[in-house]
Amino acid sequence: MKNGGWKRRLNVFVVLGLLLVGMVSCDLDSGKGPVELTYTAPIEIGVRAGENLPGTSIRYVGQSEKGAEVLIAGQHAFKQKGDSLDWKGDPVEGVSVDLSLRVLWFTEDTLHLVGTGKVVVRQPNPQPALIQTDWPLKFTNAPVTYGVGRNEYIPGTTIEYLGKKEEGAHLGGIDGYPYRKGADSILWDSKLREGVYLRLNVRVLYIGENSLRVGGTASIWIVP
């Protein structure tokens, strides 16, 4: 089968997997925000020969007669198109990553992978921060939906819902104009904990007297 056929089939598996896993989740405590944030994002990545899959100990050695040669925990393995390549670990303190990948195709120079990445951030402490989008270990476009009550915070941010006003949803903890109407966007860049950064891009789905619902995407960068 040509590369395009494999890519279409594997991308379908990725989408179905994301639908089965569901949206982002968070475990709440009684304080300012969640004690744990979980994101699941689609991944398509290329690993050059002689380099590691970012954030992991998996190394692509190169193309061989047996297939794509990789080193997993120091052991040689040979992968064909469509084969699995998984990894679990903690690239930085307080953050777990679970990669579920498949070989899309490979050449002498590059191994191409597609699948999903699950990121769990424990005890986040969101603070506004600048993000460098060229950091190699990234998980982009994870679908998210949140419902927050009045005087509660959108998970992963310091944005507080202060209630419904004539101008729209009244938000605290943001710079500039504090109101958003239905379908308006909310953009947020933050540092969740040391070495972990979040870009949230959501829109207002519902504004109630005592609750706000938003939905969109989250992108995570991890800097080991």
Side-chain angles (χ1 to χ4, degrees), residues 11 24 28 34 61 77-78 84 113-114 117 119 121 149 156 170 201 204 207:
N11 282 340
V24 71
L28 299 173
V61 177
F78 298 90
S84 64
L113 303 166
V114 66
V119 181
V121 183
H170 186 193
N201 187 352
V204 175
I207 305 171

Side-chain angles (χ1 to χ4, degrees), residues 65-142:
E65 294 181 356
K66 297 180 181 180
E69 183 179 358
V70 297
L71 279 174
I72 305 174
Q75 297 181 317
H76 291 268
F78 298 90
K79 300 290 183 176
Q80 300 290 333
K81 293 178 184 178
D83 283 356
S84 64
L85 188 59
D86 300 338
W87 183 85
K88 293 181 180 180
D90 295 357
V92 298
E93 184 179 356
V95 178
S96 298
V97 172
D98 186 349
L99 299 177
S100 180
L101 305 174
R102 293 274 173 179
V103 175
L104 191 59
W105 55 284
F106 54 88
T107 66
E108 293 181 359
D109 298 322
T110 309
L111 173 65
H112 296 269
L113 303 166
V114 66
T116 59
K118 179 181 177 181
V119 181
V120 179
V121 183
R122 297 180 292 274
Q123 300 294 335
N125 181 29
Q127 300 294 331
L130 296 176
I131 292 176
Q132 295 179 224
T133 57
D134 59 349
W135 287 323
L137 185 53
K138 59 184 178 181
F139 304 85
T140 59
N141 297 319

Side-chain angles (χ1 to χ4, degrees), residues 24-44:
V24 71
S25 64
C26 55
D27 292 333
L28 299 173
D29 65 8
S30 57
K32 185 175 179 179
V35 296
E36 187 173 281
L37 290 167
T38 302
Y39 304 90
T40 302
I43 297 176
E44 187 171 348

